[in-house]
């Protein structure tokens, strides 16, 4: 198999071994995560994370070193580069490393081999029962409440926020899990979307097909800003009235909006400094 020929990064292998996961003698954990598959795929991704892109990560100390948590962030347009960079920061930069379980859209499983690959690397369909099980097992889950509406943002709106779903808040309340907000900046520059072909997407079984300035869905090398905020704690059972939950969601949304603002300020200052050096 081709994946067995991929080079293994010794540092990556060591970080996967350090994960707080219950691998059996075959290297598989109770959720079907395959240690060897994780090492192989992460070894390839580590090069992309470290050398093709540059990720300025702030606030990693806010992510619990152990125990449950709901990571909640913004989509930055185009495709979910933001999710990959967030997971990469936790696996490759955090001490100790942690594996975040992304709650992905169902349509992704329509692609050949995607379902098997995602489950073997710890990414699951956004099923509430599965999410509750993971949280009660002291895992981290990764949620983008904007959903496909968030990845459908055009480049000019990449740092804006669209409506949030409320499911993540009810999960956090029911499992008494902290919410760790994060803001991601730069996705709209890596993959500047100018249009979305929704009719073609529907024919292919996906929400839309993004069109970039250069036509292809290949992101350009970009520097990103990823900022984690302090954990937010909410009290409740998860069965509160909609207006109560919506108020809590708005608090998280405003915190993420603030983190995006900080990320933009850092990005603009960095660009100004680089331009000064070049001039």
């Amino acid at each position: 198999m081709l994946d067995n020929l991929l080079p293994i990064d010794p540092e990556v292998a060591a970080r996967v071994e350090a994960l707080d996961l219950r691998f059996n003698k075959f290297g598989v954990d109770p959720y079907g995560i395959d240690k060897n598959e994780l090492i192989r795929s992460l070894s390839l991704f580590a090069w992309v994370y470290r050398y093709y892109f540059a990720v300025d990560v702030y606030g990693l100390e806010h992510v619990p070193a152990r125990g449950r948590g709901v990571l909640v962030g913004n989509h930055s347009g185009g495709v979910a580069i933001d999710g990959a960079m967030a997971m990469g920061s936790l696996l490759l930069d955090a001490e100790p490393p942690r594996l975040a379980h992304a709650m992905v859209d169902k349509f992704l499983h329509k692609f050949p081999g995607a379902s098997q690959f995602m489950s073997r690397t710890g990414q699951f369909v956004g099923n509430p029962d599965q999410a509750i099980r993971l949280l009660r097992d002291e895992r981290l889950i990764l949620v983008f409440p904007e959903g496909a509406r968030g990845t459908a943002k055009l480049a000019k709106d990449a740092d804006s926020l669209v409506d949030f779903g409320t499911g993540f808040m009810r999960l956090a309340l029911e499992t008494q899990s902290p919410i760790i907000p994060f803001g991601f900046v730069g996705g709209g520059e890596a993959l500047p979307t100018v249009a979305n072909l929704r009719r073609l997407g529907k024919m292919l079984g996906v929400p839309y097909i993004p069109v970039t300035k250069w036509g292809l869905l290949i992101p350009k090398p970009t520097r990103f800003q990823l900022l984690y905020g302090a954990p937010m704690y909410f009290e409740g059972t998860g069965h509160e009235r909609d207006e109560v939950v919506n108020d809590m969601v708005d608090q998280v949304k405003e915190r993420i909006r603030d983190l995006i603002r900080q990320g933009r300020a850092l990005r603009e200052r960095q660009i100004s400094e680089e331009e000064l050096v070049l001039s």
Side-chain angles (χ1 to χ4, degrees):
M1 295 291 290
L2 180 61
D3 57 0
N4 291 323
L5 300 178
L6 293 174
I8 299 300
D9 184 324
E11 181 186 348
V12 164
R15 294 187 74 81
V16 171
E17 292 285 355
L19 289 171
D20 187 20
L21 300 181
R22 302 187 303 276
F23 292 117
N24 63 19
K25 64 180 180 179
F26 302 106
V28 180
D29 94 328
Y31 294 91
I33 301 169
D34 187 311
K35 179 169 66 175
N36 293 322
E37 182 81 14
L38 195 56
I39 290 172
R40 285 193 297 267
S41 58
L42 187 57
S43 291
L44 177 61
F45 175 74
W47 182 90
V48 176
Y49 179 85
R50 291 168 175 158
Y51 304 111
Y52 189 82
F53 297 121
V55 189
D56 298 325
V57 185
Y58 305 87
L60 262 178
E61 68 275 8
H62 292 311
V63 180
R66 293 284 186 272
R68 70 188 70 178
V70 182
L71 295 155
V72 181
N74 65 297
H75 274 313
S76 191
V79 295
I81 297 174
D82 32 57
M85 297 301 111
M87 287 188 286
S89 72
L90 297 173
L91 283 163
L92 299 171
D93 294 333
E95 295 295 347
R98 296 208 65 179
L99 175 64
H101 303 286
M103 299 290 100
V104 300
D105 285 321
K106 293 180 181 179
F107 76 84
L108 292 173
H109 287 261
K110 295 181 179 181
F111 297 100
S115 182
Q116 185 180 57
F117 173 76
M118 286 190 288
S119 63
R120 286 183 174 181
T121 55
Q123 315 314 313
F124 304 104
V125 169
N127 180 302
D129 291 337
Q130 177 78 307
I132 289 171
R133 182 183 170 204
L134 287 163
L135 289 169
R136 288 181 173 162
D137 203 16
E138 304 301 333
R139 305 288 185 110
L140 287 176
I141 66 170
L142 175 64
V143 179
F144 290 91
E146 296 173 293
R149 300 183 305 274
T151 53
K153 297 173 195 170
L154 301 184
K156 63 184 178 64
D157 301 317
D159 294 330
S160 65
L161 293 176
V162 298
D163 290 342
F164 275 31
T166 61
F168 78 92
M169 181 58 71
R170 293 191 183 277
L171 284 172
L173 291 169
E174 183 172 345
T175 58
Q176 293 296 289
S177 301
I179 289 174
I180 301 95
F182 68 90
F184 184 85
V185 175
E189 294 179 37
L191 203 65
T193 304
V194 295
N196 291 306
L197 305 180
R198 298 184 185 277
R199 185 172 299 177
L200 177 59
K202 186 176 182 180
M203 292 171 58
L204 297 174
V206 298
Y208 60 90
I209 301 295
V211 178
T212 65
K213 288 182 179 179
W214 45 81
L216 300 175
L217 281 177
I218 301 175
K220 67 178 181 180
T222 306
R223 192 171 203 95
F224 300 124
Q225 284 69 42
L226 172 59
L227 295 82
Y228 291 98
M232 303 177 72
Y233 297 87
F234 297 90
E235 294 185 1
T237 65
H239 301 288
E240 285 73 17
R241 299 190 313 275
D242 287 346
E243 55 266 32
V244 174
V245 174
N246 285 333
D247 179 67
M248 297 177 183
V249 169
D250 286 343
Q251 293 178 53
V252 177
K253 188 174 182 180
E254 187 55 39
R255 184 70 183 107
I256 293 172
R257 183 177 285 114
D258 183 55
L259 290 167
I260 294 171
R261 291 193 197 104
Q262 293 180 52
R264 287 299 315 173
L266 288 165
R267 187 177 191 81
E268 289 164 6
R269 182 160 65 242
Q270 180 187 65
I271 292 172
S272 297
E273 290 173 353
E274 290 175 351
E275 289 175 346
L276 183 63
V277 170
L278 292 173
S279 61

